[in-house]
Amino acid sequence: MLFLITAFGCNSQKNETTAEVSTDTKNTNTENNLKQSILKYPDSTLLVENLAQYYQEQGNYESAINTIAQKAETDNQNHRWYNMMGWLYYEMDDTTKAITNYEKAIDLYPDPQYVISLGALYAGRGNPQALAMADALLMADKANVTKEGNFIKGLYYDAIGDKKQAISYYDKCLAESYSFVNAYLQKGLALIDLNKMPEALEAFNKGIAVQNNFPEAYFYKGYVLEQMKKPEEAKDAYAKALLYDSQYTEATNALNRLNKTTIN
């Protein structure tokens, strides 16, 4: 029996090692093929975007940004490069460089989606320029982005501590689009700051009703239920958050804490 277990363990390790080597080889081939294709077709923007996306998916953000930045040096009038770098820097939590690149993208081409991205970043910092971005969206009737304009205003007033004003804009956003789930989330968080737990619970429940697989809404629903002294319901909410995002560390910690409290 010991021999069979040992033999199985060796075979498993060999298979896993082979799989790792195979994956590494595949990744290297993909990268090399894309690089060779770019050399062959240097004017292809799609190939450059594909290589940057490949690096992004591998978690290699430095190479992704360098790939785009090199292209932007020779094609500096293409707004897409700056938009892509803005998003990559945002994913790296470097909001300063994200803002710089979104500003360049908008200078070249004021696409409403770029304005939304920049406006949200300004809003998160409490920068009054967010209001100008929001007003631009509210006036762009044909672009159908007025709900995003109200949402950005909500984020701005949230950031400067005016929770009631923030909630009023989240409500405007939801009046225009009841399915805007992030507005429910942000409204609920603002209500928590105002210590209005039943109202916050209602906001999170509405968000969940619109999007059942909404881990953040379940997590904060759990938090609110804890504050309302309903630990069993809170545990269920945290478990739901983990059902839809198994890597949600805060939900794991909250659930473990409640389970320990119950045992003790």
Side-chain angles (χ1 to χ4, degrees):
M1 188 67 179
L2 180 60
F3 170 77
L4 290 174
I5 293 173
T6 304
F8 178 74
C10 291
N11 288 336
S12 295
Q13 187 173 10
K14 181 179 179 182
N15 290 337
E16 288 173 4
T17 302
T18 302
E20 289 174 4
V21 171
S22 177
T23 301
D24 289 342
T25 302
K26 182 180 179 181
N27 288 340
T28 301
N29 289 339
T30 300
E31 180 182 1
N32 289 338
N33 289 339
L34 285 167
K35 286 182 175 179
Q36 290 301 316
S37 296
I38 290 171
L39 290 174
K40 189 175 181 180
Y41 305 104
D43 294 331
S44 173
T45 59
L46 180 60
L47 287 171
V48 175
E49 290 179 16
N50 286 344
L51 180 58
Q53 185 178 352
Y54 163 79
Y55 285 132
Q56 179 190 22
E57 290 171 352
Q58 301 301 311
N60 188 350
Y61 282 89
E62 183 177 353
S63 293
I65 289 171
N66 287 339
T67 298
I68 299 299
Q70 288 173 13
K71 188 64 176 176
E73 287 180 5
T74 58
D75 187 20
N76 60 14
Q77 295 304 301
N78 190 333
H79 54 90
R80 287 175 58 81
W81 304 132
Y82 300 105
N83 175 55
M84 291 179 69
M85 285 193 287
W87 176 252
L88 289 167
Y89 277 120
Y90 171 75
E91 288 198 336
M92 292 175 65
D93 293 325
D94 190 338
T95 55
T96 298
K97 289 183 179 178
I99 285 173
T100 298
N101 280 281
Y102 280 129
E103 287 174 338
K104 288 180 179 178
I106 290 172
D107 284 341
L108 293 169
Y109 183 71
D111 187 291
Q113 294 304 316
Y114 302 169
V115 176
I116 291 169
S117 298
L118 182 58
L121 288 173
Y122 280 152
R125 290 185 163 198
N127 185 331
Q129 290 186 69
L131 298 178
M133 296 281 132
D135 285 335
L137 294 171
L138 290 169
M139 290 186 291
D141 295 334
K142 293 182 180 179
N144 193 29
V145 287
T146 54
K147 60 183 180 298
E148 287 85 353
N150 283 317
F151 184 68
I152 288 171
K153 286 196 173 188
L155 292 176
Y156 169 76
Y157 285 110
D158 228 336
I160 65 171
D162 191 342
K163 304 299 177 178
K164 290 183 179 179
Q165 185 81 307
I167 290 169
S168 73
Y169 279 107
Y170 295 142
D171 282 338
K172 286 183 180 180
C173 176
L174 291 168
E176 187 174 350
S177 175
Y178 76 93
S179 62
F180 202 138
V181 292
N182 284 328
Y184 290 114
L185 179 64
Q186 294 301 140
K187 178 181 178 179
L189 294 174
L191 287 164
I192 287 175
D193 289 336
L194 293 174
N195 200 31
K196 295 185 176 182
M197 298 303 169
E199 293 91 335
L201 181 61
E202 181 182 2
F204 297 133
N205 279 334
K206 286 183 177 179
I208 291 167
V210 171
Q211 182 179 316
N212 189 48
N213 59 339
F214 193 3
E216 291 86 357
Y218 282 114
F219 173 76
Y220 286 109
K221 175 180 178 178
Y223 173 81
V224 167
L225 287 167
E226 272 200 83
Q227 305 308 305
M228 297 173 70
K229 309 301 182 185
K230 298 180 178 181
E232 293 304 316
E233 292 181 46
K235 284 196 285 185
D236 180 66
Y238 291 137
K240 286 282 181 61
L242 288 168
L243 176 65
Y244 297 113
D245 182 359
S246 60
Q247 304 302 313
Y248 205 142
T249 304
E250 293 87 347
T252 299
N253 293 340
L255 188 57
N256 289 341
R257 173 174 45 76
L258 281 180
N259 283 333
K260 287 180 181 178
T261 301
T262 302
I263 293 173
N264 292 336

